[in-house]
Amino acid sequence: MNQEKTINKQKKLHKNKKNNELFKKWLNNFVALMRFQYRRLFTTWTSAFIILGPFGLLVITAFVLPSDALIYLLMGVGIMTTAFFQFGYTYREWKQNNSIKSNMSFSEHNIGIVLISFILFSIILSIIGTLVYLGLIYVWFYLLNIGGLKSTLSTPTGKFVGYKWDLVFYLTLISILLSISVAYFTESITSTSTSYTMFASVYIIIAIFGGGFMNISSSWFSDLANNSWIRWMQVFIPHWWINYFTLYFVTHDVGTIHSMLKWIPGEFFHNWSLFMPWLYGTIIFTTAVIINLVRFDI
């Protein structure tokens, strides 16, 4: 009996040791992947595109687009470019030619570690980027009063009222998740960094000019889409649903995000926009995972 207890105890200790070693290995891999992304962020041209792209859009459009709508336009474009050119492009680079991969023994568990690390870094960067964009808008519109736009973001007493923080939080969350899903899918169906960059750039252009980003900022674009067949083409663009949701919020005095998330009678597209981004994101991300697993290629 004592011998059996001793054997069971040794087995338990061995199992615990094995689990500890496995956890330590996973943690080391996770840290290595985070460091890789951090280094790549400051050593590739994509980092400049992520940082300067939205600012350039701000400078170009600040004089012709409504400032309250431009806030959400910059948020959406900034998050999308971060997902495509940080998450997707860096993930593609890592899969192709980095020494970390050769030192990792991949299994179904390691696939999860890889995705979690890349997604987490992209989420952190997107949140930081969103705060930077909001800060740029605050300086541009309110402090510097470029284009005389300060009055549109102020109360009669001069108080800054440019941000609806509940909407900012919701749009940041859903935009990050959907953008990462689309970027991951784009990466899964391309074979090289060049082809990925081409597909990503095309999607970003489609999303900006056909997916509703410009609709948010221009009544002409919005009216054109609402009164033509363009609307029925846009419903197939995942980001269009987020932008329609935002457009409705900007153009209607809805109130809080709590009110916005309610079913509104007669508002067909708004009601569908409550869950279509989540549905699109889930389907697209799941499809990308399946494609990568079938290809034996994380």
Side-chain angles (χ1 to χ4, degrees), residues 211-229:
F213 281 107
M214 296 306 294
N215 295 6
I216 295 173
S217 308
S218 169
S219 59
W220 183 83
F221 273 102
S222 180
D223 292 340
L224 176 64
N226 291 342
N227 300 310
S228 72
W229 56 268

Side-chain angles (χ1 to χ4, degrees), residues 86-130:
Q86 189 282 317
F87 171 80
Y89 189 83
T90 306
Y91 186 67
R92 161 61 58 186
E93 277 196 330
W94 173 81
K95 284 174 64 174
Q96 286 184 329
N97 55 22
N98 103 81
S99 59
I100 299 177
K101 183 175 180 179
S102 62
N103 295 326
M104 298 176 68
S105 176
F106 290 102
S107 66
E108 64 277 8
H109 303 294
N110 294 99
I111 292 175
I113 291 295
V114 171
L115 288 178
I116 290 172
S117 65
F118 274 84
I119 290 173
L120 179 61
F121 190 87
S122 187
I123 289 175
I124 293 173
L125 193 62
S126 294
I127 292 174
I128 294 174
T130 299

Side-chain angles (χ1 to χ4, degrees), residues 240-252:
W240 180 83
W241 294 97
I242 298 178
N243 295 321
Y244 187 88
F245 180 91
T246 308
L247 175 64
Y248 193 89
F249 194 100
V250 170
T251 56
H252 295 73

Side-chain angles (χ1 to χ4, degrees), residues 99-171:
S99 59
I100 299 177
K101 183 175 180 179
S102 62
N103 295 326
M104 298 176 68
S105 176
F106 290 102
S107 66
E108 64 277 8
H109 303 294
N110 294 99
I111 292 175
I113 291 295
V114 171
L115 288 178
I116 290 172
S117 65
F118 274 84
I119 290 173
L120 179 61
F121 190 87
S122 187
I123 289 175
I124 293 173
L125 193 62
S126 294
I127 292 174
I128 294 174
T130 299
L131 295 176
V132 171
Y133 307 146
L134 294 179
L136 287 173
I137 293 171
Y138 177 77
V139 171
W140 191 263
F141 289 147
Y142 189 72
L143 296 183
L144 298 181
N145 195 27
I146 302 297
L149 298 172
K150 182 175 180 178
S151 59
T152 65
L153 294 176
S154 303
T155 63
T157 61
K159 181 180 179 182
F160 179 74
V161 291
Y163 306 144
K164 295 181 183 294
W165 287 105
D166 51 354
L167 182 63
V168 167
F169 174 80
Y170 177 77
L171 290 178

